[in-house]
Amino acid sequence: MIEKTLEKIGLTPKETSVYLMLLKIGSVPSSVLARKLGIPKSTVLFTCQELAKKGFVNVIKKRNTFYFTPEPPEKISFLLQKQKKKIDTQEKELGMIMN
């Protein structure tokens, strides 16, 4: 059920699986995450970067290793409110153009 909800708010299936795994295991480098998920490290790196852009993951570089830390699920509500405000602003701007 949570997978479908995350996908409805804009995550891809791969992003959803990576985010949920991060919630289970916490802050880890991409190599550990790749091993746990059984997908290539390059895919994990790209997916985590996309999740970071969307605000679901924090990226920290320690020495030459990137560690990925999930944002708490409670922050998802904040992210949705932010998206809603952006859409509301765009609707107002469109309304001004059309009038």
Side-chain angles (χ1 to χ4, degrees), residues 40-82:
K41 181 180 170 186
S42 59
T43 301
V44 169
L45 283 169
F46 177 79
T47 304
C48 285
Q49 289 170 348
E50 292 299 307
L51 284 168
K53 288 178 192 174
K54 293 178 180 180
F56 285 81
V57 171
N58 283 318
V59 182
I60 300 167
K61 186 173 183 179
K62 294 180 186 176
R63 299 184 189 177
N64 286 329
T65 304
F66 289 102
Y67 284 78
F68 300 98
T69 306
E71 288 290 349
E74 297 80 28
K75 188 172 180 187
I76 295 171
S77 177
F78 171 75
L79 294 171
L80 289 174
Q81 290 172 1
K82 189 175 170 183

Side-chain angles (χ1 to χ4, degrees), residues 10-98:
L11 296 187
T12 66
K14 195 161 298 224
E15 289 170 341
T16 298
S17 64
V18 168
Y19 177 68
L20 292 174
M21 182 59 72
L22 281 169
L23 286 175
K24 287 181 186 176
I25 62 178
S27 182
V28 293
S30 58
S31 58
V32 172
L33 195 52
R35 203 168 37 250
K36 291 274 190 188
L37 291 167
I39 59 177
K41 181 180 170 186
S42 59
T43 301
V44 169
L45 283 169
F46 177 79
T47 304
C48 285
Q49 289 170 348
E50 292 299 307
L51 284 168
K53 288 178 192 174
K54 293 178 180 180
F56 285 81
V57 171
N58 283 318
V59 182
I60 300 167
K61 186 173 183 179
K62 294 180 186 176
R63 299 184 189 177
N64 286 329
T65 304
F66 289 102
Y67 284 78
F68 300 98
T69 306
E71 288 290 349
E74 297 80 28
K75 188 172 180 187
I76 295 171
S77 177
F78 171 75
L79 294 171
L80 289 174
Q81 290 172 1
K82 189 175 170 183
Q83 287 177 352
K84 184 180 181 312
K85 286 180 185 179
K86 184 177 179 181
I87 291 170
D88 290 345
T89 301
Q90 291 171 339
E91 285 178 337
K92 287 178 187 176
E93 291 172 356
L94 180 62
M96 290 171 51
I97 292 170
M98 295 176 74

